[in-house]
Amino acid sequence: MSENREQWGSKFGFIMAAAGSAVGLGNIWRFPYITGKYGGGAFVLVYLAVVVIIGMSVMLAEFSIGRNAKLDAVGSFRKLGGGVWPIVGWMGFICAFVILSYYAVIAGWAFAYIFKSFGGLMAAAEAGKAADAFVGFIANPVQAVAYHILVMVIVVGIVCKGISGGIEKSCKVLMPALFAIILILIVRSVTLPGAGAGLEFYLKPDFSKLTGEAILAAVGQGFFSLSLAMGIMVTYGSYISKDEYLPGSVRYVVCLDTLVAFLSGLVIFPAAAAFGIEAGAGAGLTFITLPAVFAKMPMGSLFSCAFFMLLFIAALTSAISLFEVTVAYGIDQLKMNRMKASLVLGVLIALLGIPSALSQGAVPINIAGKSFLDAADFITNNVIMPLGAIFICIFVGWFWTDGAKAEITDNGKLVFPMYTIWLWICRIVAPVALALIFVNGLKW
Ligand code: PHE
């Protein structure tokens, strides 16, 4: 079947799709915050080292597995490793399936806020009621579920059109749009009076805050942000043509992801500082703090709308990649056609997302004290993801070593000068770093 396998139409399109996967909520609502918290410019340097050393290595490993096997994540590990290795592919599949179920819920909130920016949101925020507006919105069962389903419909609608005709085509438009919006927002933010204090908090290096915890935070953020160990880069890799130089593609994707993360901080901190509002992290920052900031700006509705479009695009292109992991499984393993796989898996994931959507205030759906959404997030990101990543490194580092080398160098035709360094990162450095974040992240 591999002769008929779909492929990316162009290198640019593939890079946009992979960068679209990497650039997501993590870049916009988490990177700026942890950077501010762990020492500004000093943390940025550590983060850069982590993504260059570990992130690039694991992404390269994933691309090479996928391109060689030309199958979905489960099939790739079955074909190249056999034995128990398909379990690693399964871990990716489960992560993608579960993460998408709640990621679509959050993407739905962003989608709703694009329009709410012109409704009562700015007035509520101006009256100091941004938190009430948000809590009321996500606790409304009909809205929470409706927006979640709407996002799933959009995702299914794009992915069912295929790799080049659906995913690539949409990402080629969405990603440049994302860059344009972020640049507009930066210009607005840094030209506000009083913006300098925010820039200083964000970027002034403070090496005393660079603790062991900060370094672990950098590793965890790097993995999440690059969409590693979820089967995504294996799956996307399976559509790359043989004449692509993989380390080159990896460089582009990692640079773009890191750039957007860095730029998001230039939007958030100067604006928050200009209005004397403290910037936190996560949903609170994006859906409560920022509306309060926009409400104080001239033409705040417009900038609020632009920001939530940015957030929605970032989340949508990541959701697409999560969905493709599951659809590729349906096509390659269950022998469905793309349309059927998209519909069946789309419905299943949408259903699983409903308890997450409802768990945010509408109905108390808890697992051992965490909301359903938070529990799903914990199990995938703190448990399955680091374990899967360790096994991927061990797989290419110790088991499928010659295969990986042949794949990356196109059987020796291309030079990959960093090969030995890459190999030892996969063998030792990355598994150790991942084991540390795994153990550290096991606090429920
Ligand atoms: N990389 C995305 C982000 O930074 C999140 C993501 C993780 C997307 C895993 C897909 C899979 O938000």
Side-chain angles (χ1 to χ4, degrees), residues 67-391:
R67 189 173 69 172
N68 189 279
K70 293 209 170 306
L71 285 170
D72 67 300
V74 176
S76 291
F77 280 95
R78 181 174 295 137
K79 178 169 171 188
L80 304 182
V84 294
W85 286 110
I87 294 175
V88 183
W90 274 110
M91 293 168 85
F93 176 88
I94 293 169
C95 269
F97 193 100
V98 176
I99 292 181
L100 178 55
S101 75
Y102 69 81
Y103 210 81
V105 172
I106 302 172
W109 299 345
F111 189 72
Y113 265 54
I114 296 175
F115 307 101
K116 287 183 191 283
S117 298
F118 297 106
L121 179 66
M122 290 295 109
E126 210 167 355
K129 298 218 175 336
D132 297 347
F134 178 57
V135 172
F137 165 55
I138 62 174
N140 177 321
V142 177
Q143 293 208 28
V145 173
Y147 282 109
H148 157 64
I149 304 277
L150 190 69
V151 171
M152 284 306 302
V153 169
I154 297 174
V155 170
V156 170
I158 291 172
V159 172
C160 78
K161 297 223 178 67
I163 296 304
S164 65
I167 300 181
E168 177 173 349
K169 205 167 154 191
S170 57
C171 291
K172 272 196 321 207
V173 178
L174 292 171
M175 292 310 288
L178 179 144
F179 269 97
I181 297 175
I182 210 167
L183 292 178
I184 293 170
L185 289 171
I186 290 174
V187 171
R188 170 65 290 191
S189 184
V190 298
T191 53
L192 288 165
L199 283 177
E200 190 175 323
F201 170 76
Y202 181 38
L203 293 174
K204 191 169 168 217
D206 177 354
F207 287 90
S208 70
K209 291 191 194 151
L210 262 194
T211 53
E213 189 188 316
I215 294 169
L216 283 185
V219 179
Q221 172 67 13
F223 265 82
F224 184 78
S225 190
L226 294 176
S227 300
L228 298 175
M230 321 255 166
I232 293 175
M233 296 305 172
V234 173
T235 308
Y236 274 17
S238 74
Y239 307 117
I240 305 178
S241 86
K242 278 289 174 206
D243 39 59
E244 206 67 69
Y245 180 56
L246 295 177
S249 309
V250 168
R251 269 200 294 271
Y252 276 114
V253 177
V254 172
C255 287
L256 288 172
D257 181 64
T258 308
L259 181 66
V260 174
F262 178 75
L263 294 179
S264 307
L266 297 182
V267 174
I268 289 167
F269 288 111
F275 298 109
I277 293 175
E278 199 180 325
L285 165 74
T286 34
F287 293 99
I288 298 171
T289 312
L290 291 178
V293 170
F294 293 126
K296 297 195 176 176
M297 268 178 205
M299 297 201 299
S301 300
L302 269 184
F303 288 109
S304 173
C305 167
F307 175 80
F308 287 106
M309 269 165 74
L310 167 75
L311 196 67
F312 177 66
I313 293 173
L316 178 64
T317 50
S318 297
I320 289 170
S321 69
L322 289 163
F323 191 48
E324 177 57 25
V325 172
T326 68
V327 170
Y329 173 84
I331 296 173
D332 292 334
Q333 303 303 312
L334 308 178
K335 309 290 175 217
M336 295 173 172
N337 63 36
R338 176 168 285 276
M339 181 57 88
K340 183 170 174 199
S342 307
L343 290 175
V344 171
L345 286 149
V347 168
L348 293 176
I349 293 169
L351 288 176
L352 180 65
I354 291 176
S356 280
L358 292 176
S359 72
Q360 300 302 297
V363 186
I365 307 175
N366 293 320
I367 300 178
K370 271 193 200 300
S371 77
F372 194 87
L373 193 159
D374 291 333
D377 179 51
F378 180 89
I379 291 164
T380 47
N381 282 309
N382 293 32
V383 183
I384 308 180
M385 192 275 279
L387 284 181
I390 293 174
F391 291 131

Side-chain angles (χ1 to χ4, degrees), residues 38-62:
Y38 289 122
F43 179 84
V44 174
L45 295 180
V46 174
Y47 181 81
L48 284 177
V50 166
V51 292
V52 168
I53 297 171
I54 303 183
M56 281 191 171
S57 301
V58 179
M59 190 179 287
L60 180 59
E62 292 199 23

